[in-house]
Amino acid sequence: MSDASGVESARPNGDSERHPLAMETLVALCASRGFIFPSSEIYGGVNGFWDYGPLGVELKNNVKAAWWQRVVRERQDVVGIDSAIICHPRTWEASGHVEHFSDPMVDCRACKKRFRADQLDEAGKCSAREGSSEHDFTEARDFNLMLQTQIGASLDATTAAYLRPETCQSIFNDFKRVREAARQKIPFGIAQIGKAFRNEITPRNFTFRSREFEQAEMEFFCHPSEREQWFEHWKEERLRFHRDLGFSPENLRTRSHGEDELAHYAKAAVDVDFRFPFGWQEIEGIHDRGDWDLSRHSEFSGKDLSVTDEVRKERYTPMVIETSVGVDRTCLALLVNAYAEETLDGGDTRTVMRFQPALAPIKAAVLPLSKKLAEPARAVHSDLQRCFNAFYDESGNIGRRYRRQDEVGTPFCVTYDFDSNEDGRVTVRERDSMEQRRVPVEGIVSYLRDRLEVAL
Ligand code: GAP
């Protein structure tokens, strides 16, 4: 079923040759340390599906919390929702997905593998043909990427439904209800984070192209005369967010879509790209969707989704500026961005994940120097645990315990030693500088909190 990681060697999109990190190294670290690994691994995995382990789920939750804070909580003009994954099937006719949401696909008659017709340069050699290594391709045909399911017990066409391929369509379905309930006036936005599903022909590059993934989307509704202005506003806002996540500027770029690349709904689009080991690739799209969605849902549902503007004395269908970021792609980019190998004084090497403290899965690890110090060290741990994700580890020598925490990006290690019983102080070691400082036990929570709460 699966080749598990789906990781490929360098691809032609950009200067992947020179990237210092091999994806295989990152994939191995993610599995061994419990960030991300193949779903149903004991059965060999299912291609395009991934599970987040104890550290991965913390990282992902921190990314989602940072996005929600920035896009919803810090603004008066954006409200949040959490809608069902399954929408009324007519939704996908109105949105254009039933008609347009497909990739051209070809099969190889010999090895039976399936490829995207627009990515045949990546198909490699055919393993099944003797005397020739070329594939024997069928004609290209359109393959709809929506995953289908059935609602209820009977299996007929009336019960067919789709797992949503993007989260935003329910925002359009809910537009009127949410605007009225939240007493919002145009311009304003509706945001949500949630799962999306696409039956990708060739899932690849670890979680980069999955069949089940999470999106964080925001649809901003505005007057037609203000669409360019809001498009620019959101482009800047989203770039500021990515910079604040800690992506190095040389690994981040924007790219405007040419006319021929635009999705069926889009009037203009800009991608935010990150430089992965497999080349420059999109992590977020900012789209001017015009009035496509609201007009189509008005038409298909028979409900008028236009608004009355009391000031302008006008009735119109709002324009939509969309920001749509992949949560999994952001996590993958953060993992790539954080990874570093260092040679220390004395020749030892360490692997360190330099996450921003606010994003780090574990904020602080409490390490008693000896198991005899477990009791007071556990008391420090439980104080910290009440405030943030703290970890306790008493096994192995202290150097090895520091390395284990470096490898998962824990910004602070708190060591309880024999002097701590005497002077009431613990040693705080900082991940990046490896500097150590004695800090009073009673002040440890606020000491760490001050250093962790550097806002994104
Ligand atoms: N509502 C607009 C929309 O869905 P998109 O460019 O198709 O636009 C937005 O998707 C984002 O969702 C992408 O920038 C990417 O981060 C994420 N995404 C899309 N397909 C994905 C996949 N197969 N696996 C992981 N993330 C994906």
Side-chain angles (χ1 to χ4, degrees):
M1 262 198 148
S2 159
D3 61 348
S5 79
V7 170
E8 296 176 349
S9 54
R11 296 211 292 133
N13 186 11
D15 51 354
S16 47
E17 245 64 9
R18 285 186 282 112
H19 201 286
L21 174 63
M23 276 306 284
E24 291 77 3
T25 308
L26 187 69
V27 171
L29 181 129
C30 282
S32 68
R33 302 313 313 270
F35 281 98
I36 307 171
F37 38 83
S39 181
S40 324
E41 202 174 8
I42 58 168
Y43 290 100
V46 195
N47 205 3
F49 296 88
W50 299 94
D51 290 350
Y52 285 69
L55 297 178
V57 67
E58 294 288 341
L59 175 66
K60 201 181 200 194
N61 283 344
N62 292 340
V63 168
K64 290 192 277 187
W67 185 90
W68 195 261
Q69 175 67 22
R70 184 62 69 83
V71 176
V72 182
R73 295 241 174 102
E74 285 176 17
R75 300 186 66 113
Q76 308 262 295
D77 58 357
V78 178
V79 293
I81 63 165
D82 181 18
S83 71
I85 283 173
I86 291 183
C87 299
H88 192 287
R90 288 276 282 163
T91 304
W92 306 109
E93 288 168 36
S95 69
H97 282 79
V98 170
E99 195 181 343
H100 298 289
F101 195 56
S102 55
D103 279 337
M105 174 191 79
V106 296
D107 290 313
C108 172
R109 293 185 188 91
C111 67
K112 310 289 179 214
K113 282 197 183 141
R114 185 157 280 184
F115 303 94
R116 262 172 69 166
D118 54 351
Q119 292 176 350
L120 290 184
D121 51 330
E122 296 166 23
K125 304 287 181 198
C126 177
S127 52
R129 299 188 76 197
E130 275 177 34
S132 164
S133 52
E134 298 304 314
H135 289 280
D136 177 16
F137 289 129
T138 58
E139 288 294 304
R141 58 192 188 282
D142 278 340
F143 174 75
N144 194 292
L145 300 181
M146 284 196 292
L147 276 155
Q148 281 200 35
T149 187
Q150 297 288 139
I151 301 171
S154 66
L155 293 177
D156 61 47
T158 61
T159 62
Y162 298 104
L163 302 185
R164 64 185 178 197
E166 57 178 10
T167 62
C168 61
Q169 290 305 325
S170 34
I171 292 181
F172 303 126
N173 282 352
D174 292 353
F175 166 72
K176 190 172 179 325
R177 164 74 69 193
V178 173
R179 184 173 65 87
E180 287 167 6
R183 304 182 64 240
Q184 286 283 348
K185 288 199 165 56
I186 306 290
F188 85 103
I190 304 177
Q192 84 165 320
I193 300 175
K195 291 272 190 178
F197 302 81
R198 296 183 189 178
N199 203 2
E200 298 284 357
I201 298 168
T202 48
R204 63 185 61 213
N205 288 323
F206 199 17
T207 59
F208 181 81
R209 196 188 304 145
S210 310
R211 288 178 166 142
E212 174 178 342
F213 53 96
E214 256 181 300
Q215 291 183 316
E217 299 201 293
M218 190 282 316
E219 310 300 315
F220 198 80
F221 303 91
C222 65
H223 187 268
S225 64
E226 294 179 346
R227 60 200 288 197
E228 281 92 9
Q229 167 196 331
W230 282 112
F231 188 81
E232 282 309 307
H233 169 86
W234 281 108
K235 194 173 91 181
E236 288 312 313
E237 271 301 288
R238 298 306 303 143
L239 269 175
R240 185 167 72 87
F241 177 79
H242 289 293
R243 285 191 213 107
D244 290 349
L245 289 184
F247 292 130
S248 344
E250 67 272 18
N251 290 335
L252 211 55
R253 72 174 190 194
T254 53
R255 195 184 68 82
S256 295
H257 283 213
E259 290 260 319
D260 54 332
E261 278 180 278
L262 291 174
H264 62 270
Y265 54 76
K267 299 275 192 299
V270 167
D271 288 347
V272 179
D273 288 354
F274 176 77
R275 192 168 76 101
F276 288 96
F278 43 87
W280 284 99
Q281 293 287 352
E282 171 192 342
I283 52 176
E284 170 148 10
I286 297 136
H287 310 124
D288 177 343
R289 300 180 70 114
D291 63 356
W292 162 266
D293 304 277
L294 290 184
S295 299
R296 294 275 291 189
H297 287 300
S298 288
E299 184 190 331
F300 279 67
S301 68
K303 304 283 183 314
D304 182 6
L305 299 178
S306 63
V307 297
T308 302
D309 189 323
E310 305 293 350
V311 180
R312 290 187 169 93
K313 305 269 179 270
E314 205 186 316
R315 189 150 186 99
Y316 63 91
T317 302
M319 298 287 147
V320 171
I321 306 301
E322 169 183 76
T323 71
S324 175
V325 66
V327 177
D328 309 81
R329 284 191 189 176
T330 305
C331 289
L332 183 58
L334 284 168
L335 287 159
V336 169
N337 193 64
Y339 188 94
E341 281 174 24
E342 286 179 358
T343 306
L344 305 173
D345 295 345
D348 273 4
T349 57
R350 71 165 181 160
T351 299
V352 53
M353 297 297 277
R354 297 186 187 281
F355 297 120
Q356 288 254 31
L359 298 171
I362 300 171
K363 307 297 186 208
V366 179
L367 317 172
L369 204 57
S370 151
K371 285 186 181 160
K372 293 189 187 117
L373 299 166
E375 200 185 320
R378 280 193 186 277
V380 173
H381 175 242
S382 66
D383 283 350
L384 297 183
Q385 228 177 3
R386 272 193 281 278
C387 305
F388 39 75
N389 194 29
F391 186 75
Y392 179 83
D393 184 8
E394 59 180 29
S395 65
N397 78 43
I398 191 72
R400 206 166 297 144
R401 279 185 273 166
Y402 283 151
R403 293 288 169 279
R404 281 205 292 263
Q405 292 308 314
D406 290 342
E407 215 182 31
V408 299
T410 306
F412 297 102
C413 287
V414 178
T415 306
Y416 197 102
D417 58 25
F418 288 100
D419 289 341
S420 305
N421 281 342
E422 307 302 319
D423 65 4
R425 287 168 181 263
V426 282
T427 301
V428 177
R429 173 199 182 259
E430 199 271 330
R431 177 194 68 201
D432 296 341
S433 64
M434 294 190 283
E435 269 171 17
Q436 303 195 3
R437 187 170 295 185
R438 296 290 281 176
V439 175
V441 170
E442 73 261 24
I444 187 69
V445 171
S446 58
Y447 178 90
L448 292 179
R449 210 190 246 151
D450 287 350
R451 282 154 185 80
L452 289 166
E453 274 181 4
V454 181
L456 281 178

